Amino acid sequence: MANSSHGPRPPRSRARVAIATTLFAAYLAIVLWVTMTPSLDGVGVDTVAERVLAVLHRLGVPDAFGYMELEFVANVGMFVPLGFLLALALPGWGWWLALIALPLLSAGIEWTQGEFLAGRVSDVRDIVSNSIGAWLGALCAAGLRAIVHARDRRVVARALWERDRARRPRRDPDQTQVLDTLGLR
């Protein structure tokens, strides 16, 4: 609502940008640590994956859902917060940059794993799953921003309506009675 009768457009939420940027940087550091660690053997990833699969299979997930599928879903989940936080940190019109930047980041991670980390395996499926996660997160952030923007527009419109209503001249009771008698009200 940047029309001239209501003044200039309000500034971006500095708090939202600062919080989203800080959380994005912290989470990105964790993702880079997890993906750039030469070997995850000492962390016990295989043991955790086996336990998660055992629980899922007990809950009725088909046995066909194995390690590869779990890894794909985990990679999607790992990049959802990156997409969400980056889309919140960027200006309103720039949220879509997360749709491009994060798949490029994923490709860079996979390239680095393939070229420089002997204990890691580079896989195109990881780029696909990471991109899907980033896109889901960015789209969720864009949807949330649209909902908040629509709510803010309604709140501002209501406040302007109430302000304008309060400024209208009040009729005195005698005038109201005359209008009622004449059938004009």
Side-chain angles (χ1 to χ4, degrees):
M1 281 176 83
N3 83 34
S4 61
S5 67
H6 303 303
R9 181 183 204 107
R12 285 177 59 199
S13 169
R14 288 187 180 144
R16 184 200 75 226
V17 172
I19 292 169
T21 302
T22 302
L23 290 174
F24 173 77
Y27 190 73
L28 178 62
I30 293 168
V31 167
L32 289 175
W33 175 76
V34 167
T35 57
M36 297 300 182
T37 302
S39 174
L40 293 176
D41 292 338
V43 180
V45 169
D46 289 335
T47 306
V48 171
E50 290 170 6
R51 289 180 184 171
V52 169
L53 283 172
V55 169
L56 290 174
H57 293 153
R58 277 196 308 267
L59 293 173
V61 173
D63 289 338
F65 187 87
Y67 183 82
M68 297 297 281
E69 292 78 15
L70 179 63
E71 181 185 26
F72 188 89
V73 171
N75 281 332
V76 169
M78 179 172 59
F79 266 64
V80 169
L82 284 177
F84 185 81
L85 293 169
L86 184 57
L88 284 181
L90 292 169
W93 55 268
W95 68 267
W96 58 269
L97 291 171
L99 301 177
I100 298 168
L102 293 174
L104 290 175
L105 171 68
S106 178
I109 289 170
E110 292 302 315
W111 177 79
T112 303
Q113 286 177 342
E115 290 294 319
F116 301 110
L117 302 174
R120 300 301 294 260
V121 177
S122 179
D123 191 350
V124 173
R125 289 176 296 182
D126 289 348
I127 298 171
V128 171
S129 60
N130 293 342
S131 298
I132 290 169
W135 295 337
L136 288 172
L139 292 173
C140 286
L144 178 64
R145 286 171 76 160
I147 290 168
V148 169
H149 180 70
R151 185 218 49 209
D152 289 351
R153 287 179 60 101
R154 284 192 307 274
V155 167
V156 168
R158 177 70 183 193
L160 292 173
W161 179 82
E162 287 176 355
R163 182 196 67 190
D164 292 344
R165 184 171 179 234
R167 288 182 179 172
R168 288 187 207 129
R170 304 251 182 226
R171 293 186 181 146
D172 66 17
D174 293 334
Q175 205 177 25
T176 303
Q177 188 177 21
V178 169
L179 290 174
D180 284 345
T181 304
L182 295 174
L184 298 174
R185 191 184 107 167

